[in-house]
Amino acid sequence: MKLQSLFKDLDVKVHGPLLTEIKDLAIHSKFVKPGDLFVAVKGHDDDGSMYIEEAILSGCACVLCDFYNPFLKVTQVVTNDPKALLPTLAKRFYKDPSSKLFLTGITGTNGKTTTSYLLKHLLDDKQAPCGLMGTIEYVIKDHVMPASLTTPDTITINKYLRDMVKLSCKSCVMEVSSHALVQKRAEGLSFDIGVFTNLSEEHLDYHKDMEDYALAKAKLFALVSRASVLNIDDPYFQIMKEHSKAPVYTFGIEKSADLMAKDITCTPNGLRFTAIYKQEAIDIQVPFIGAFNVYNILAAMLVAMIHGMPLAKIAEKLKTAPKVKGRLEKIPVKKDVHVYVDFAHKEKALCEVLKTLRSFSKKRVITVFGCGGDRDTLKRPKMGAASEKHSDLVILTSDNPRGEDPLNIIEDIKKGMSKKSSCLVIPDRKEAIAKAIQVACKGDIVLIAGRGHERLQKLKGLSIDFSDAQVAMSV
């Protein structure tokens, strides 16, 4: 695309030829290729202008920044706020791909990932695949890439959506984090449907309080054109409803909703309940465990119905829903004990998972977990209290300590615990997992919580290979 077309009618000043050909967009200098436009974005911890020379050495054809440097031998486009132009530039360059897809955005504290995989499963068709962008991975037809962020940057989002369109995808399911909404990474996207799962304490190191956190999530529903699908049972439902520009559809268990679940049965093999929609009742069976997953199932069902899928077809497809990595995933181990890996890294999620596992067996429940470093410290003692309440033995260990001392994090967790005799401290996560399985007796349940699907552990500025599931299987 020519430079003059890309920046047409935008408040910029161009220093260089308007007919410069732009081959792609980039905001990270290490990803710049010859012919690209490098956008020097100021972030929370970094300033893209520090990497302009690196981008030029990589062959960029043009730089978008907030100042003019006469010594640079490259075309320069200057504007007050380069970041503010990103949604428009990405939309133009990649030819507005979101408008060519049935795009669903899912936000909430818990359940985004499970809901997204359920919905992808429902919408997937060989002739019209459903793409996915979320916490675990990005899926573009048969191409699967590990996710770097739950919601990537604006350029990456539009690029992947463009690729989905090229590969005949007709829909896409996308997890939308509160950080992404505040940082406007989803601006300019044409969301058909927005989904709200729930809200509980999380990211209070980033958001000043729960109301601020809720308002960040509510930003999604100002971007939605066709329908807002909301959890009516959640205390923050009203805030989401008030910010919804599209018609509101509700799902729930406790309060009257458009789509409801009754007579819920939870077993170690799956869930069964009666779904009620407009006085029509249908039996639903899903191979997921945990009653909390009923909300995720209802959300995916309601989106599929709005999309036009018959309720009977939805019920049939849900019987074969694939398991989600790291979400109450049962791990095969050498010993005759039950080992589960789950992503629960918040108090409410940990409580729900432990209560589910407790209902499966009268034997002991052993929990291995830690808390992330350089993140919200207020949840640490709450998670300690939750683990102690629902476990027979708790083994405190490292999660992703990042720049913090793991022992300091563990001390914060222990502030919420009282029964010191039911708690072991083993900072090395591999040793902690091994110890849990070794001390478990026949029929006991071991929960390894906090990291779920993650394959890298972050500590002291490094990322090392570490999979909870792989470690458990090796014991």
Side-chain angles (χ1 to χ4, degrees), residues 390-464:
H390 300 290
S391 309
D392 297 287
L393 172 64
V394 178
I395 300 179
L396 297 179
T397 188
S398 296
D399 187 284
N400 290 310
R402 299 181 178 88
E404 282 194 71
D405 185 333
L407 288 174
N408 291 340
I409 298 172
I410 289 170
E411 285 303 312
D412 283 346
I413 297 170
K414 288 174 69 177
K415 289 174 184 176
M417 304 175 74
S418 58
K419 300 177 185 175
K420 301 297 187 293
S421 60
S422 65
C423 172
L424 298 177
V425 173
I426 306 177
D428 185 290
R429 194 172 180 91
K430 186 173 182 180
E431 290 180 15
I433 292 171
K435 182 69 172 179
I437 296 173
Q438 286 163 5
V439 300
C441 300
K442 183 177 180 179
D444 284 350
I445 293 173
V446 176
L447 171 66
I448 306 167
R451 300 184 63 253
H453 64 282
E454 293 180 356
R455 302 191 67 84
L456 294 174
Q457 188 179 35
K458 299 171 183 176
L459 68 166
K460 297 180 180 178
L462 301 173
S463 292
I464 62 170

Side-chain angles (χ1 to χ4, degrees), residues 9-65:
D9 300 326
L10 297 181
D11 186 18
V12 299
K13 187 169 184 179
V14 179
H15 300 269
L18 287 170
L19 295 180
T20 299
E21 183 70 29
I22 302 300
K23 293 185 177 179
D24 208 345
L25 309 179
I27 60 171
H28 299 291
S29 57
K30 65 179 180 179
F31 298 139
V32 169
K33 305 179 299 298
D36 286 357
L37 165 69
F38 174 64
V39 185
V41 173
K42 286 184 178 177
H44 186 266
D45 300 312
D46 217 346
D47 185 346
S49 62
M50 302 285 291
Y51 304 94
I52 289 175
E53 290 190 7
E54 183 181 333
I56 292 172
L57 288 173
S58 295
C60 74
C62 180
V63 171
L64 173 62
C65 53

